[in-house]
mmCIF file of all heavy atoms in Angstrom:
data_model
loop_
_atom_site.group_PDB
_atom_site.id
_atom_site.type_symbol
_atom_site.label_atom_id
_atom_site.label_comp_id
_atom_site.label_asym_id
_atom_site.label_seq_id
_atom_site.Cartn_x
_atom_site.Cartn_y
_atom_site.Cartn_z
ATOM 1 N N LEU I 22 -2.971 -6.319 -17.790
ATOM 2 C CA LEU I 22 -2.676 -7.103 -16.597
ATOM 3 C C LEU I 22 -1.842 -6.282 -15.608
ATOM 4 O O LEU I 22 -2.077 -6.351 -14.406
ATOM 5 C CB LEU I 22 -1.915 -8.375 -17.011
ATOM 6 C CG LEU I 22 -1.469 -9.305 -15.867
ATOM 7 C CD1 LEU I 22 -2.694 -9.823 -15.118
ATOM 8 C CD2 LEU I 22 -0.666 -10.468 -16.415
ATOM 9 N N GLN I 23 -0.862 -5.493 -16.160
ATOM 10 C CA GLN I 23 -0.004 -4.715 -15.274
ATOM 11 C C GLN I 23 -0.815 -3.680 -14.476
ATOM 12 O O GLN I 23 -0.534 -3.438 -13.306
ATOM 13 C CB GLN I 23 1.088 -3.997 -16.101
ATOM 14 C CG GLN I 23 2.092 -4.919 -16.752
ATOM 15 C CD GLN I 23 1.626 -5.410 -18.116
ATOM 16 O OE1 GLN I 23 0.460 -5.340 -18.440
ATOM 17 N NE2 GLN I 23 2.579 -5.928 -18.890
ATOM 18 N N VAL I 24 -1.845 -3.090 -15.107
ATOM 19 C CA VAL I 24 -2.680 -2.101 -14.427
ATOM 20 C C VAL I 24 -3.467 -2.768 -13.303
ATOM 21 O O VAL I 24 -3.622 -2.204 -12.207
ATOM 22 C CB VAL I 24 -3.613 -1.401 -15.439
ATOM 23 C CG1 VAL I 24 -4.576 -0.453 -14.697
ATOM 24 C CG2 VAL I 24 -2.827 -0.662 -16.494
ATOM 25 N N ARG I 25 -3.965 -3.955 -13.586
ATOM 26 C CA ARG I 25 -4.714 -4.679 -12.555
ATOM 27 C C ARG I 25 -3.845 -4.953 -11.335
ATOM 28 O O ARG I 25 -4.293 -4.825 -10.187
ATOM 29 C CB ARG I 25 -5.245 -6.013 -13.112
ATOM 30 C CG ARG I 25 -6.263 -5.842 -14.246
ATOM 31 C CD ARG I 25 -6.596 -7.189 -14.853
ATOM 32 N NE ARG I 25 -7.486 -7.059 -16.002
ATOM 33 C CZ ARG I 25 -7.789 -8.058 -16.815
ATOM 34 N NH1 ARG I 25 -7.275 -9.263 -16.587
ATOM 35 N NH2 ARG I 25 -8.599 -7.849 -17.825
ATOM 36 N N TRP I 26 -2.619 -5.371 -11.567
ATOM 37 C CA TRP I 26 -1.711 -5.651 -10.452
ATOM 38 C C TRP I 26 -1.416 -4.384 -9.645
ATOM 39 O O TRP I 26 -1.365 -4.431 -8.405
ATOM 40 C CB TRP I 26 -0.398 -6.221 -10.984
ATOM 41 C CG TRP I 26 -0.425 -7.706 -11.216
ATOM 42 C CD1 TRP I 26 -0.455 -8.347 -12.411
ATOM 43 C CD2 TRP I 26 -0.456 -8.729 -10.223
ATOM 44 N NE1 TRP I 26 -0.503 -9.717 -12.250
ATOM 45 C CE2 TRP I 26 -0.501 -9.985 -10.893
ATOM 46 C CE3 TRP I 26 -0.464 -8.727 -8.821
ATOM 47 C CZ2 TRP I 26 -0.530 -11.202 -10.242
ATOM 48 C CZ3 TRP I 26 -0.493 -9.951 -8.171
ATOM 49 C CH2 TRP I 26 -0.539 -11.163 -8.862
ATOM 50 N N VAL I 27 -1.241 -3.266 -10.303
ATOM 51 C CA VAL I 27 -0.953 -2.026 -9.593
ATOM 52 C C VAL I 27 -2.174 -1.606 -8.768
ATOM 53 O O VAL I 27 -2.043 -1.164 -7.610
ATOM 54 C CB VAL I 27 -0.550 -0.906 -10.591
ATOM 55 C CG1 VAL I 27 -0.519 0.440 -9.887
ATOM 56 C CG2 VAL I 27 0.796 -1.217 -11.215
ATOM 57 N N ILE I 28 -3.366 -1.758 -9.339
ATOM 58 C CA ILE I 28 -4.584 -1.390 -8.595
ATOM 59 C C ILE I 28 -4.722 -2.287 -7.370
ATOM 60 O O ILE I 28 -5.037 -1.821 -6.265
ATOM 61 C CB ILE I 28 -5.819 -1.501 -9.515
ATOM 62 C CG1 ILE I 28 -5.775 -0.417 -10.605
ATOM 63 C CG2 ILE I 28 -7.110 -1.369 -8.681
ATOM 64 C CD1 ILE I 28 -6.898 -0.534 -11.619
ATOM 65 N N ALA I 29 -4.446 -3.558 -7.570
ATOM 66 C CA ALA I 29 -4.552 -4.496 -6.443
ATOM 67 C C ALA I 29 -3.543 -4.141 -5.356
ATOM 68 O O ALA I 29 -3.858 -4.181 -4.156
ATOM 69 C CB ALA I 29 -4.340 -5.932 -6.934
ATOM 70 N N PHE I 30 -2.328 -3.807 -5.794
ATOM 71 C CA PHE I 30 -1.296 -3.448 -4.836
ATOM 72 C C PHE I 30 -1.695 -2.200 -4.073
ATOM 73 O O PHE I 30 -1.471 -2.078 -2.857
ATOM 74 C CB PHE I 30 0.032 -3.214 -5.583
ATOM 75 C CG PHE I 30 1.180 -2.817 -4.697
ATOM 76 C CD1 PHE I 30 1.849 -3.779 -3.931
ATOM 77 C CD2 PHE I 30 1.590 -1.493 -4.597
ATOM 78 C CE1 PHE I 30 2.919 -3.398 -3.118
ATOM 79 C CE2 PHE I 30 2.628 -1.114 -3.783
ATOM 80 C CZ PHE I 30 3.297 -2.074 -3.033
ATOM 81 N N ALA I 31 -2.298 -1.223 -4.777
ATOM 82 C CA ALA I 31 -2.717 0.025 -4.134
ATOM 83 C C ALA I 31 -3.810 -0.240 -3.104
ATOM 84 O O ALA I 31 -3.778 0.291 -1.992
ATOM 85 C CB ALA I 31 -3.194 1.015 -5.189
ATOM 86 N N VAL I 32 -4.768 -1.100 -3.459
ATOM 87 C CA VAL I 32 -5.881 -1.400 -2.542
ATOM 88 C C VAL I 32 -5.346 -2.084 -1.297
ATOM 89 O O VAL I 32 -5.720 -1.731 -0.150
ATOM 90 C CB VAL I 32 -6.916 -2.287 -3.254
ATOM 91 C CG1 VAL I 32 -7.947 -2.800 -2.239
ATOM 92 C CG2 VAL I 32 -7.609 -1.522 -4.344
ATOM 93 N N VAL I 33 -4.466 -3.061 -1.469
ATOM 94 C CA VAL I 33 -3.922 -3.787 -0.323
ATOM 95 C C VAL I 33 -3.103 -2.841 0.561
ATOM 96 O O VAL I 33 -3.207 -2.884 1.796
ATOM 97 C CB VAL I 33 -3.034 -4.960 -0.802
ATOM 98 C CG1 VAL I 33 -2.292 -5.587 0.380
ATOM 99 C CG2 VAL I 33 -3.905 -6.019 -1.490
ATOM 100 N N SER I 34 -2.290 -1.984 -0.045
ATOM 101 C CA SER I 34 -1.444 -1.073 0.716
ATOM 102 C C SER I 34 -2.273 -0.112 1.542
ATOM 103 O O SER I 34 -1.986 0.128 2.739
ATOM 104 C CB SER I 34 -0.528 -0.275 -0.237
ATOM 105 O OG SER I 34 0.318 -1.145 -0.954
ATOM 106 N N ILE I 35 -3.309 0.453 0.930
ATOM 107 C CA ILE I 35 -4.167 1.403 1.645
ATOM 108 C C ILE I 35 -4.935 0.715 2.784
ATOM 109 O O ILE I 35 -5.038 1.221 3.904
ATOM 110 C CB ILE I 35 -5.146 2.076 0.658
ATOM 111 C CG1 ILE I 35 -4.366 2.957 -0.324
ATOM 112 C CG2 ILE I 35 -6.179 2.910 1.416
ATOM 113 C CD1 ILE I 35 -5.225 3.500 -1.454
ATOM 114 N N THR I 36 -5.439 -0.506 2.500
ATOM 115 C CA THR I 36 -6.173 -1.258 3.519
ATOM 116 C C THR I 36 -5.301 -1.561 4.727
ATOM 117 O O THR I 36 -5.696 -1.375 5.881
ATOM 118 C CB THR I 36 -6.710 -2.567 2.920
ATOM 119 O OG1 THR I 36 -7.549 -2.272 1.802
ATOM 120 C CG2 THR I 36 -7.494 -3.352 3.963
ATOM 121 N N VAL I 37 -4.061 -2.029 4.467
ATOM 122 C CA VAL I 37 -3.164 -2.377 5.563
ATOM 123 C C VAL I 37 -2.761 -1.115 6.341
ATOM 124 O O VAL I 37 -2.668 -1.126 7.573
ATOM 125 C CB VAL I 37 -1.892 -3.078 5.008
ATOM 126 C CG1 VAL I 37 -0.866 -3.275 6.121
ATOM 127 C CG2 VAL I 37 -2.275 -4.403 4.404
ATOM 128 N N ALA I 38 -2.544 0.002 5.645
ATOM 129 C CA ALA I 38 -2.163 1.242 6.307
ATOM 130 C C ALA I 38 -3.278 1.725 7.221
ATOM 131 O O ALA I 38 -3.028 2.232 8.327
ATOM 132 C CB ALA I 38 -1.822 2.301 5.259
ATOM 133 N N ILE I 39 -4.573 1.595 6.774
ATOM 134 C CA ILE I 39 -5.695 2.014 7.607
ATOM 135 C C ILE I 39 -5.815 1.117 8.842
ATOM 136 O O ILE I 39 -6.057 1.559 9.965
ATOM 137 C CB ILE I 39 -6.997 1.997 6.787
ATOM 138 C CG1 ILE I 39 -6.936 3.075 5.696
ATOM 139 C CG2 ILE I 39 -8.220 2.188 7.681
ATOM 140 C CD1 ILE I 39 -8.120 3.038 4.747
ATOM 141 N N ALA I 40 -5.584 -0.186 8.603
ATOM 142 C CA ALA I 40 -5.693 -1.161 9.701
ATOM 143 C C ALA I 40 -4.641 -0.917 10.774
ATOM 144 O O ALA I 40 -4.881 -1.156 11.966
ATOM 145 C CB ALA I 40 -5.603 -2.580 9.177
ATOM 146 N N PHE I 41 -3.518 -0.452 10.360
ATOM 147 C CA PHE I 41 -2.419 -0.190 11.307
ATOM 148 C C PHE I 41 -2.078 1.290 11.285
ATOM 149 O O PHE I 41 -0.928 1.694 11.118
ATOM 150 C CB PHE I 41 -1.181 -1.030 10.934
ATOM 151 C CG PHE I 41 -1.409 -2.502 11.010
ATOM 152 C CD1 PHE I 41 -1.801 -3.209 9.881
ATOM 153 C CD2 PHE I 41 -1.219 -3.207 12.200
ATOM 154 C CE1 PHE I 41 -2.014 -4.578 9.956
ATOM 155 C CE2 PHE I 41 -1.394 -4.559 12.267
ATOM 156 C CZ PHE I 41 -1.827 -5.264 11.138
ATOM 157 N N SER I 42 -3.068 2.102 11.451
ATOM 158 C CA SER I 42 -2.899 3.562 11.324
ATOM 159 C C SER I 42 -1.932 4.144 12.381
ATOM 160 O O SER I 42 -1.365 5.194 12.165
ATOM 161 C CB SER I 42 -4.266 4.252 11.469
ATOM 162 O OG SER I 42 -4.872 3.905 12.717
ATOM 163 N N ALA I 43 -1.744 3.410 13.468
ATOM 164 C CA ALA I 43 -0.850 3.928 14.508
ATOM 165 C C ALA I 43 0.605 3.987 14.028
ATOM 166 O O ALA I 43 1.414 4.775 14.527
ATOM 167 C CB ALA I 43 -0.960 3.059 15.765
ATOM 168 N N ILE I 44 0.910 3.117 13.104
ATOM 169 C CA ILE I 44 2.294 3.109 12.558
ATOM 170 C C ILE I 44 2.231 3.347 11.026
ATOM 171 O O ILE I 44 2.898 2.684 10.246
ATOM 172 C CB ILE I 44 3.016 1.788 12.876
ATOM 173 C CG1 ILE I 44 2.164 0.586 12.412
ATOM 174 C CG2 ILE I 44 3.349 1.687 14.355
ATOM 175 C CD1 ILE I 44 2.933 -0.743 12.491
ATOM 176 N N TRP I 45 1.412 4.303 10.617
ATOM 177 C CA TRP I 45 1.220 4.577 9.185
ATOM 178 C C TRP I 45 2.527 4.908 8.462
ATOM 179 O O TRP I 45 2.719 4.602 7.303
ATOM 180 C CB TRP I 45 0.245 5.740 9.031
ATOM 181 C CG TRP I 45 0.769 7.040 9.655
ATOM 182 C CD1 TRP I 45 0.565 7.458 10.917
ATOM 183 C CD2 TRP I 45 1.612 7.988 9.015
ATOM 184 N NE1 TRP I 45 1.199 8.640 11.150
ATOM 185 C CE2 TRP I 45 1.858 9.009 9.989
ATOM 186 C CE3 TRP I 45 2.162 8.126 7.740
ATOM 187 C CZ2 TRP I 45 2.648 10.114 9.707
ATOM 188 C CZ3 TRP I 45 2.941 9.229 7.456
ATOM 189 C CH2 TRP I 45 3.182 10.203 8.436
ATOM 190 N N TRP I 46 3.449 5.529 9.223
ATOM 191 C CA TRP I 46 4.725 5.938 8.606
ATOM 192 C C TRP I 46 5.546 4.749 8.116
ATOM 193 O O TRP I 46 6.397 4.863 7.232
ATOM 194 C CB TRP I 46 5.557 6.724 9.620
ATOM 195 C CG TRP I 46 5.648 6.090 10.980
ATOM 196 C CD1 TRP I 46 4.832 6.323 12.045
ATOM 197 C CD2 TRP I 46 6.588 5.084 11.392
ATOM 198 N NE1 TRP I 46 5.181 5.527 13.129
ATOM 199 C CE2 TRP I 46 6.279 4.756 12.740
ATOM 200 C CE3 TRP I 46 7.648 4.431 10.771
ATOM 201 C CZ2 TRP I 46 6.994 3.821 13.457
ATOM 202 C CZ3 TRP I 46 8.379 3.492 11.504
ATOM 203 C CH2 TRP I 46 8.052 3.187 12.830
ATOM 204 N N ALA I 47 5.312 3.556 8.702
ATOM 205 C CA ALA I 47 6.059 2.374 8.273
ATOM 206 C C ALA I 47 5.685 1.936 6.858
ATOM 207 O O ALA I 47 6.406 1.141 6.230
ATOM 208 C CB ALA I 47 5.802 1.231 9.249
ATOM 209 N N PHE I 48 4.548 2.465 6.359
ATOM 210 C CA PHE I 48 4.082 2.059 5.035
ATOM 211 C C PHE I 48 4.444 3.066 3.944
ATOM 212 O O PHE I 48 4.038 2.896 2.792
ATOM 213 C CB PHE I 48 2.558 1.882 5.070
ATOM 214 C CG PHE I 48 2.116 0.785 6.011
ATOM 215 C CD1 PHE I 48 1.742 1.088 7.307
ATOM 216 C CD2 PHE I 48 2.133 -0.559 5.616
ATOM 217 C CE1 PHE I 48 1.361 0.075 8.182
ATOM 218 C CE2 PHE I 48 1.763 -1.545 6.506
ATOM 219 C CZ PHE I 48 1.382 -1.245 7.785
ATOM 220 N N LEU I 49 5.235 4.072 4.313
ATOM 221 C CA LEU I 49 5.662 5.055 3.303
ATOM 222 C C LEU I 49 6.434 4.423 2.136
ATOM 223 O O LEU I 49 6.221 4.815 0.984
ATOM 224 C CB LEU I 49 6.504 6.161 3.967
ATOM 225 C CG LEU I 49 5.727 7.146 4.847
ATOM 226 C CD1 LEU I 49 6.687 8.152 5.502
ATOM 227 C CD2 LEU I 49 4.679 7.879 4.008
ATOM 228 N N PRO I 50 7.311 3.458 2.403
ATOM 229 C CA PRO I 50 7.995 2.818 1.268
ATOM 230 C C PRO I 50 7.031 2.173 0.265
ATOM 231 O O PRO I 50 7.276 2.186 -0.944
ATOM 232 C CB PRO I 50 8.889 1.751 1.927
ATOM 233 C CG PRO I 50 9.158 2.297 3.295
ATOM 234 C CD PRO I 50 7.867 2.971 3.684
ATOM 235 N N LEU I 51 5.905 1.611 0.803
ATOM 236 C CA LEU I 51 4.937 1.003 -0.100
ATOM 237 C C LEU I 51 4.295 2.061 -0.992
ATOM 238 O O LEU I 51 4.074 1.835 -2.184
ATOM 239 C CB LEU I 51 3.869 0.278 0.712
ATOM 240 C CG LEU I 51 4.319 -0.956 1.510
ATOM 241 C CD1 LEU I 51 3.141 -1.530 2.290
ATOM 242 C CD2 LEU I 51 4.875 -2.017 0.555
ATOM 243 N N PHE I 52 4.018 3.222 -0.427
ATOM 244 C CA PHE I 52 3.414 4.295 -1.226
ATOM 245 C C PHE I 52 4.401 4.834 -2.265
ATOM 246 O O PHE I 52 4.031 5.216 -3.359
ATOM 247 C CB PHE I 52 2.894 5.401 -0.321
ATOM 248 C CG PHE I 52 1.651 5.025 0.437
ATOM 249 C CD1 PHE I 52 1.693 4.751 1.786
ATOM 250 C CD2 PHE I 52 0.429 4.887 -0.220
ATOM 251 C CE1 PHE I 52 0.548 4.373 2.485
ATOM 252 C CE2 PHE I 52 -0.727 4.527 0.464
ATOM 253 C CZ PHE I 52 -0.667 4.256 1.816
ATOM 254 N N PHE I 53 5.681 4.864 -1.893
ATOM 255 C CA PHE I 53 6.711 5.301 -2.841
ATOM 256 C C PHE I 53 6.770 4.329 -4.020
ATOM 257 O O PHE I 53 6.827 4.728 -5.183
ATOM 258 C CB PHE I 53 8.061 5.398 -2.156
ATOM 259 C CG PHE I 53 9.202 5.684 -3.109
ATOM 260 C CD1 PHE I 53 9.397 6.958 -3.606
ATOM 261 C CD2 PHE I 53 10.057 4.644 -3.510
ATOM 262 C CE1 PHE I 53 10.435 7.209 -4.498
ATOM 263 C CE2 PHE I 53 11.106 4.898 -4.391
ATOM 264 C CZ PHE I 53 11.290 6.193 -4.897
ATOM 265 N N ILE I 54 6.728 3.023 -3.716
ATOM 266 C CA ILE I 54 6.734 2.002 -4.777
ATOM 267 C C ILE I 54 5.506 2.149 -5.647
ATOM 268 O O ILE I 54 5.564 2.017 -6.874
ATOM 269 C CB ILE I 54 6.812 0.600 -4.152
ATOM 270 C CG1 ILE I 54 8.179 0.396 -3.474
ATOM 271 C CG2 ILE I 54 6.586 -0.479 -5.212
ATOM 272 C CD1 ILE I 54 8.268 -0.918 -2.696
#
């Protein structure tokens, strides 16, 4: 279950970062997490 949550979190983070690529740097904390 923990792996599924991490994969889901990764997919959501990447999707949001692409959608708001102009401010991609704001999502660095998410990638660190």
